[in-house]
PDB file of all heavy atoms in Angstrom:
ATOM      1  N   GLU O 186     -34.993 -10.368   9.130  1.00 95.00           N
ATOM      2  CA  GLU O 186     -34.904  -9.331   8.166  1.00 95.00           C
ATOM      3  C   GLU O 186     -34.279  -8.018   8.746  1.00 95.00           C
ATOM      4  O   GLU O 186     -34.621  -7.696   9.917  1.00 95.00           O
ATOM      5  CB  GLU O 186     -36.381  -8.919   7.710  1.00 95.00           C
ATOM      6  CG  GLU O 186     -36.472  -7.786   6.666  1.00 95.00           C
ATOM      7  CD  GLU O 186     -37.888  -7.474   6.392  1.00 95.00           C
ATOM      8  OE1 GLU O 186     -38.830  -8.206   6.834  1.00 95.00           O
ATOM      9  OE2 GLU O 186     -38.168  -6.447   5.698  1.00 95.00           O
ATOM     10  N   ARG O 187     -33.441  -7.417   8.056  1.00 93.00           N
ATOM     11  CA  ARG O 187     -32.850  -6.155   8.470  1.00 93.00           C
ATOM     12  C   ARG O 187     -33.906  -5.037   8.140  1.00 93.00           C
ATOM     13  O   ARG O 187     -34.133  -4.740   6.987  1.00 93.00           O
ATOM     14  CB  ARG O 187     -31.543  -5.828   7.781  1.00 93.00           C
ATOM     15  CG  ARG O 187     -30.834  -4.561   8.184  1.00 93.00           C
ATOM     16  CD  ARG O 187     -29.421  -4.507   7.776  1.00 93.00           C
ATOM     17  NE  ARG O 187     -28.507  -5.437   8.449  1.00 93.00           N
ATOM     18  CZ  ARG O 187     -27.266  -5.523   8.429  1.00 93.00           C
ATOM     19  NH1 ARG O 187     -26.617  -4.689   7.585  1.00 93.00           N
ATOM     20  NH2 ARG O 187     -26.583  -6.436   9.120  1.00 93.00           N
ATOM     21  N   ALA O 188     -34.400  -4.374   9.170  1.00 93.00           N
ATOM     22  CA  ALA O 188     -35.428  -3.435   9.010  1.00 93.00           C
ATOM     23  C   ALA O 188     -35.553  -2.575  10.232  1.00 93.00           C
ATOM     24  O   ALA O 188     -35.203  -2.884  11.380  1.00 93.00           O
ATOM     25  CB  ALA O 188     -36.807  -4.037   8.705  1.00 93.00           C
ATOM     26  N   ASP O 189     -36.016  -1.298   9.989  1.00 92.00           N
ATOM     27  CA  ASP O 189     -36.288  -0.350  11.105  1.00 92.00           C
ATOM     28  C   ASP O 189     -37.687  -0.635  11.524  1.00 92.00           C
ATOM     29  O   ASP O 189     -38.642  -0.584  10.675  1.00 92.00           O
ATOM     30  CB  ASP O 189     -36.167   1.105  10.601  1.00 92.00           C
ATOM     31  CG  ASP O 189     -36.331   2.097  11.620  1.00 92.00           C
ATOM     32  OD1 ASP O 189     -37.205   1.980  12.528  1.00 92.00           O
ATOM     33  OD2 ASP O 189     -35.596   3.140  11.606  1.00 92.00           O
ATOM     34  N   TRP O 190     -37.931  -0.791  12.826  1.00 93.00           N
ATOM     35  CA  TRP O 190     -39.280  -1.191  13.258  1.00 93.00           C
ATOM     36  C   TRP O 190     -40.329  -0.114  13.038  1.00 93.00           C
ATOM     37  O   TRP O 190     -41.454  -0.360  12.885  1.00 93.00           O
ATOM     38  CB  TRP O 190     -39.272  -1.635  14.678  1.00 93.00           C
ATOM     39  CG  TRP O 190     -38.655  -0.723  15.684  1.00 93.00           C
ATOM     40  CD1 TRP O 190     -38.783   0.657  15.814  1.00 93.00           C
ATOM     41  CD2 TRP O 190     -37.801  -1.094  16.766  1.00 93.00           C
ATOM     42  NE1 TRP O 190     -38.076   1.109  16.880  1.00 93.00           N
ATOM     43  CE2 TRP O 190     -37.401   0.055  17.428  1.00 93.00           C
ATOM     44  CE3 TRP O 190     -37.246  -2.358  17.211  1.00 93.00           C
ATOM     45  CZ2 TRP O 190     -36.603  -0.001  18.547  1.00 93.00           C
ATOM     46  CZ3 TRP O 190     -36.447  -2.386  18.327  1.00 93.00           C
ATOM     47  CH2 TRP O 190     -36.074  -1.149  18.955  1.00 93.00           C
ATOM     48  N   LEU O 191     -39.891   1.183  13.005  1.00 94.00           N
ATOM     49  CA  LEU O 191     -40.840   2.270  12.695  1.00 94.00           C
ATOM     50  C   LEU O 191     -41.243   2.308  11.229  1.00 94.00           C
ATOM     51  O   LEU O 191     -42.320   2.775  10.888  1.00 94.00           O
ATOM     52  CB  LEU O 191     -40.217   3.607  13.109  1.00 94.00           C
ATOM     53  CG  LEU O 191     -40.067   3.928  14.565  1.00 94.00           C
ATOM     54  CD1 LEU O 191     -39.464   5.248  14.870  1.00 94.00           C
ATOM     55  CD2 LEU O 191     -41.528   3.816  15.223  1.00 94.00           C
ATOM     56  N   ALA O 192     -40.413   1.766  10.389  1.00 93.00           N
ATOM     57  CA  ALA O 192     -40.738   1.800   8.932  1.00 93.00           C
ATOM     58  C   ALA O 192     -41.369   0.357   8.464  1.00 93.00           C
ATOM     59  O   ALA O 192     -42.020   0.299   7.494  1.00 93.00           O
ATOM     60  CB  ALA O 192     -39.470   2.024   8.142  1.00 93.00           C
ATOM     61  N   HIS O 193     -41.148  -0.608   9.208  1.00 95.00           N
ATOM     62  CA  HIS O 193     -41.637  -1.915   8.917  1.00 95.00           C
ATOM     63  C   HIS O 193     -43.152  -2.041   8.949  1.00 95.00           C
ATOM     64  O   HIS O 193     -43.725  -1.619  10.001  1.00 95.00           O
ATOM     65  CB  HIS O 193     -41.040  -2.987   9.875  1.00 95.00           C
ATOM     66  CG  HIS O 193     -41.383  -4.453   9.506  1.00 95.00           C
ATOM     67  ND1 HIS O 193     -40.819  -5.080   8.508  1.00 95.00           N
ATOM     68  CD2 HIS O 193     -42.284  -5.242  10.060  1.00 95.00           C
ATOM     69  CE1 HIS O 193     -41.333  -6.280   8.449  1.00 95.00           C
ATOM     70  NE2 HIS O 193     -42.216  -6.419   9.346  1.00 95.00           N
ATOM     71  N   PRO O 194     -43.788  -2.544   8.017  1.00 96.00           N
ATOM     72  CA  PRO O 194     -45.252  -2.664   7.974  1.00 96.00           C
ATOM     73  C   PRO O 194     -45.709  -3.889   8.779  1.00 96.00           C
ATOM     74  O   PRO O 194     -45.206  -5.067   8.532  1.00 96.00           O
ATOM     75  CB  PRO O 194     -45.638  -2.857   6.544  1.00 96.00           C
ATOM     76  CG  PRO O 194     -44.443  -3.435   5.859  1.00 96.00           C
ATOM     77  CD  PRO O 194     -43.216  -2.944   6.644  1.00 96.00           C
ATOM     78  N   PHE O 195     -46.619  -3.722   9.770  1.00 97.00           N
ATOM     79  CA  PHE O 195     -47.144  -4.860  10.577  1.00 97.00           C
ATOM     80  C   PHE O 195     -48.532  -5.159   9.977  1.00 97.00           C
ATOM     81  O   PHE O 195     -49.461  -4.362  10.253  1.00 97.00           O
ATOM     82  CB  PHE O 195     -47.182  -4.475  12.038  1.00 97.00           C
ATOM     83  CG  PHE O 195     -45.817  -4.375  12.634  1.00 97.00           C
ATOM     84  CD1 PHE O 195     -45.065  -3.268  12.583  1.00 97.00           C
ATOM     85  CD2 PHE O 195     -45.268  -5.500  13.300  1.00 97.00           C
ATOM     86  CE1 PHE O 195     -43.811  -3.076  13.122  1.00 97.00           C
ATOM     87  CE2 PHE O 195     -44.017  -5.457  13.797  1.00 97.00           C
ATOM     88  CZ  PHE O 195     -43.266  -4.224  13.814  1.00 97.00           C
ATOM     89  N   GLU O 196     -48.651  -6.224   9.266  1.00 96.00           N
ATOM     90  CA  GLU O 196     -49.966  -6.569   8.653  1.00 96.00           C
ATOM     91  C   GLU O 196     -51.009  -6.998   9.641  1.00 96.00           C
ATOM     92  O   GLU O 196     -50.689  -7.698  10.678  1.00 96.00           O
ATOM     93  CB  GLU O 196     -49.712  -7.685   7.632  1.00 96.00           C
ATOM     94  CG  GLU O 196     -48.746  -7.481   6.505  1.00 96.00           C
ATOM     95  CD  GLU O 196     -48.496  -8.656   5.737  1.00 96.00           C
ATOM     96  OE1 GLU O 196     -49.188  -9.637   5.812  1.00 96.00           O
ATOM     97  OE2 GLU O 196     -47.579  -8.629   4.902  1.00 96.00           O
ATOM     98  N   PRO O 197     -52.256  -6.536   9.536  1.00 97.00           N
ATOM     99  CA  PRO O 197     -53.281  -6.946  10.445  1.00 97.00           C
ATOM    100  C   PRO O 197     -53.484  -8.444  10.549  1.00 97.00           C
ATOM    101  O   PRO O 197     -53.275  -9.209   9.569  1.00 97.00           O
ATOM    102  CB  PRO O 197     -54.476  -6.228   9.934  1.00 97.00           C
ATOM    103  CG  PRO O 197     -54.031  -5.141   9.072  1.00 97.00           C
ATOM    104  CD  PRO O 197     -52.712  -5.634   8.460  1.00 97.00           C
ATOM    105  N   ASP O 198     -53.791  -8.891  11.748  1.00 97.00           N
ATOM    106  CA  ASP O 198     -54.065 -10.346  11.987  1.00 97.00           C
ATOM    107  C   ASP O 198     -52.975 -11.319  11.544  1.00 97.00           C
ATOM    108  O   ASP O 198     -53.307 -12.419  11.005  1.00 97.00           O
ATOM    109  CB  ASP O 198     -55.434 -10.661  11.280  1.00 97.00           C
ATOM    110  CG  ASP O 198     -56.529  -9.842  11.743  1.00 97.00           C
ATOM    111  OD1 ASP O 198     -56.703  -9.638  12.973  1.00 97.00           O
ATOM    112  OD2 ASP O 198     -57.223  -9.232  10.925  1.00 97.00           O
ATOM    113  N   ARG O 199     -51.733 -10.942  11.635  1.00 97.00           N
ATOM    114  CA  ARG O 199     -50.618 -11.643  11.139  1.00 97.00           C
ATOM    115  C   ARG O 199     -49.895 -12.574  12.186  1.00 97.00           C
ATOM    116  O   ARG O 199     -49.555 -13.715  11.837  1.00 97.00           O
ATOM    117  CB  ARG O 199     -49.551 -10.682  10.537  1.00 97.00           C
ATOM    118  CG  ARG O 199     -48.255 -11.402  10.082  1.00 97.00           C
ATOM    119  CD  ARG O 199     -48.430 -12.177   8.856  1.00 97.00           C
ATOM    120  NE  ARG O 199     -47.171 -12.704   8.343  1.00 97.00           N
ATOM    121  CZ  ARG O 199     -46.587 -13.823   8.761  1.00 97.00           C
ATOM    122  NH1 ARG O 199     -47.161 -14.582   9.714  1.00 97.00           N
ATOM    123  NH2 ARG O 199     -45.360 -14.224   8.217  1.00 97.00           N
ATOM    124  N   TRP O 200     -49.710 -12.139  13.394  1.00 98.00           N
ATOM    125  CA  TRP O 200     -48.908 -12.854  14.356  1.00 98.00           C
ATOM    126  C   TRP O 200     -49.649 -13.442  15.529  1.00 98.00           C
ATOM    127  O   TRP O 200     -50.530 -12.829  16.110  1.00 98.00           O
ATOM    128  CB  TRP O 200     -47.803 -11.822  14.881  1.00 98.00           C
ATOM    129  CG  TRP O 200     -47.018 -11.173  13.787  1.00 98.00           C
ATOM    130  CD1 TRP O 200     -47.134  -9.979  13.261  1.00 98.00           C
ATOM    131  CD2 TRP O 200     -45.982 -11.839  13.138  1.00 98.00           C
ATOM    132  NE1 TRP O 200     -46.225  -9.745  12.288  1.00 98.00           N
ATOM    133  CE2 TRP O 200     -45.469 -10.900  12.149  1.00 98.00           C
ATOM    134  CE3 TRP O 200     -45.340 -13.087  13.072  1.00 98.00           C
ATOM    135  CZ2 TRP O 200     -44.458 -11.181  11.184  1.00 98.00           C
ATOM    136  CZ3 TRP O 200     -44.338 -13.436  12.268  1.00 98.00           C
ATOM    137  CH2 TRP O 200     -43.893 -12.493  11.272  1.00 98.00           C
ATOM    138  N   GLY O 201     -49.137 -14.566  15.967  1.00 98.00           N
ATOM    139  CA  GLY O 201     -49.686 -15.123  17.169  1.00 98.00           C
ATOM    140  C   GLY O 201     -48.978 -14.537  18.418  1.00 98.00           C
ATOM    141  O   GLY O 201     -49.604 -14.401  19.420  1.00 98.00           O
ATOM    142  N   THR O 202     -47.688 -14.249  18.217  1.00 98.00           N
ATOM    143  CA  THR O 202     -46.891 -13.729  19.330  1.00 98.00           C
ATOM    144  C   THR O 202     -45.950 -12.659  18.777  1.00 98.00           C
ATOM    145  O   THR O 202     -45.224 -12.965  17.831  1.00 98.00           O
ATOM    146  CB  THR O 202     -46.153 -14.643  20.172  1.00 98.00           C
ATOM    147  OG1 THR O 202     -46.991 -15.763  20.587  1.00 98.00           O
ATOM    148  CG2 THR O 202     -45.438 -14.059  21.345  1.00 98.00           C
ATOM    149  N   VAL O 203     -45.872 -11.487  19.370  1.00 98.00           N
ATOM    150  CA  VAL O 203     -44.824 -10.537  19.043  1.00 98.00           C
ATOM    151  C   VAL O 203     -44.078 -10.254  20.370  1.00 98.00           C
ATOM    152  O   VAL O 203     -44.665 -10.005  21.412  1.00 98.00           O
ATOM    153  CB  VAL O 203     -45.454  -9.223  18.536  1.00 98.00           C
ATOM    154  CG1 VAL O 203     -44.360  -8.132  18.280  1.00 98.00           C
ATOM    155  CG2 VAL O 203     -46.263  -9.480  17.245  1.00 98.00           C
ATOM    156  N   LEU O 204     -42.834 -10.315  20.315  1.00 96.00           N
ATOM    157  CA  LEU O 204     -41.899 -10.212  21.375  1.00 96.00           C
ATOM    158  C   LEU O 204     -40.956  -9.015  21.182  1.00 96.00           C
ATOM    159  O   LEU O 204     -40.523  -8.770  20.093  1.00 96.00           O
ATOM    160  CB  LEU O 204     -41.028 -11.464  21.600  1.00 96.00           C
ATOM    161  CG  LEU O 204     -41.722 -12.807  21.629  1.00 96.00           C
ATOM    162  CD1 LEU O 204     -40.723 -13.940  21.708  1.00 96.00           C
ATOM    163  CD2 LEU O 204     -42.608 -12.894  22.848  1.00 96.00           C
TER     164      LEU O 204
END
Side-chain angles (χ1 to χ4, degrees):
E186 177 184 353
R187 180 167 292 185
D189 185 322
W190 52 45
L191 287 179
H193 183 77
F195 290 85
E196 301 174 7
D198 305 311
R199 172 72 175 87
W200 302 103
T202 307
V203 177
L204 308 172

